[in-house]
Amino acid sequence: MRIGIIGAGSMGSTLAHHLAKLGHHVSIANSRGPESLTTLAAEIGAAPVSIVDAVQTAEIVILAIPTKAVADLPQGLFANVPSSLVVIDIGNYHPELRDGRIDAIERGMLDSQWVAQRIGHPVIKAFNNIFAKSLLERGVPKGVPGRIALPVAGDSPDARATVLRLVDDLGFDPVDDGNLGNSWRQQTGTPAYCHDLDAAALQPALAGADQNRIAEYRAEQEARIRQSL
């Protein structure tokens, strides 16, 4: 498949590397332009392109950028793309550490609902609850005991199915988390967030999350990150 990745940090570059190894045609872009990605792209087997080209030529687009950076994407970037384009939001909202406070999210809109509204195209929430190191090193074939499971949430069953297959291909057990309204269950700090759980443990972790604690989960996780730094 033709996959465009916007963002060349640890998550974006790791996904690009693995997807290129699987035989996908991977393009990678960032805000600094393709010239800044020549060396990295050559190392991981991707093509360095502009943000516009990463979207216009893709069947799947992966947004691997900070939440606040979504607002800085080129205006109308997704205006003329086909409805079949699958957009995956792998980001997490960190108001204290990185993103500043986004009013709509602070008032209760889910992270990826805000992203979808901002870009004017539906998104699938996936790959946001695994650290880059685990994504890089811990993918294993289907059936291996303890295989890490990753949830996928989104409103389009077809798009969600595409991403579930991608998760499996990358070496992780895919777990269908339902529509985008359920994506809070895998947001920052929830029981399903970055614990490298297998499918048997991930499903009750998703089910056991408390929607009234979204802001609390986030604040607790940001405090843990600050402490680790």
Side-chain angles (χ1 to χ4, degrees):
M1 299 187 76
R2 298 186 306 278
I3 301 176
I5 299 177
I6 300 175
S10 57
M11 288 294 291
S13 59
T14 296
L15 283 167
H17 170 72
H18 284 326
L19 291 167
K21 283 184 67 176
L22 288 171
H24 297 285
H25 184 276
V26 179
S27 300
I28 190 166
N30 66 10
S31 60
R32 296 185 300 278
E35 298 80 9
S36 68
L37 294 170
T38 303
T39 301
L40 173 65
E43 290 173 354
I44 61 180
V49 299
S50 69
I51 289 175
V52 171
D53 286 342
V55 171
Q56 295 300 319
T57 62
E59 298 166 276
I60 297 174
V61 169
I62 299 174
L63 298 178
I65 56 179
T67 303
K68 67 177 181 180
V70 172
D72 298 325
L73 291 172
Q75 189 172 6
L77 181 62
F78 293 90
N80 298 310
V81 299
S83 60
S84 60
L85 177 70
V86 177
V87 179
I88 307 173
D89 172 29
I90 76 166
N92 291 298
Y93 173 54
H94 289 290
E96 296 292 338
L97 295 177
R98 181 186 63 198
D99 297 314
R101 297 200 174 271
I102 297 172
D103 289 344
I105 298 178
E106 294 293 325
R107 291 195 300 268
M109 182 178 285
L110 304 184
D111 301 6
S112 288
Q113 288 176 335
W114 181 83
V115 172
Q117 182 185 77
R118 188 77 195 190
I119 69 173
H121 190 89
V123 304
I124 301 292
K125 185 75 162 185
F127 301 111
N128 72 296
N129 72 319
I130 184 170
F131 290 126
K133 182 176 175 61
S134 293
L135 183 65
L136 177 65
E137 300 176 352
R138 298 198 61 189
V140 295
K142 185 184 298 186
V144 173
R147 193 186 199 209
I148 295 171
L150 300 179
V152 175
D155 292 335
S156 165
D158 289 343
R160 200 164 67 240
T162 295
V163 181
L164 288 165
R165 288 193 296 271
L166 205 62
V167 168
D168 196 11
D169 291 345
L170 286 164
F172 304 91
D173 276 345
V175 171
D176 192 336
D177 196 19
N179 63 33
L180 197 63
N182 285 329
S183 62
W184 64 271
R185 297 181 182 277
Q186 64 197 74
Q187 286 184 175
T188 304
T190 58
Y193 182 78
C194 291
H195 291 297
D196 287 353
L197 304 174
D198 64 14
L202 177 62
Q203 289 169 332
L206 291 167
D210 182 352
Q211 192 166 10
N212 295 317
R213 294 187 60 200
I214 290 176
E216 183 182 345
Y217 287 139
R218 183 183 295 124
E220 289 173 349
Q221 181 65 25
E222 289 199 313
R224 286 191 286 268
I225 294 171
R226 282 196 298 270
Q227 187 174 25
S228 70
L229 295 175

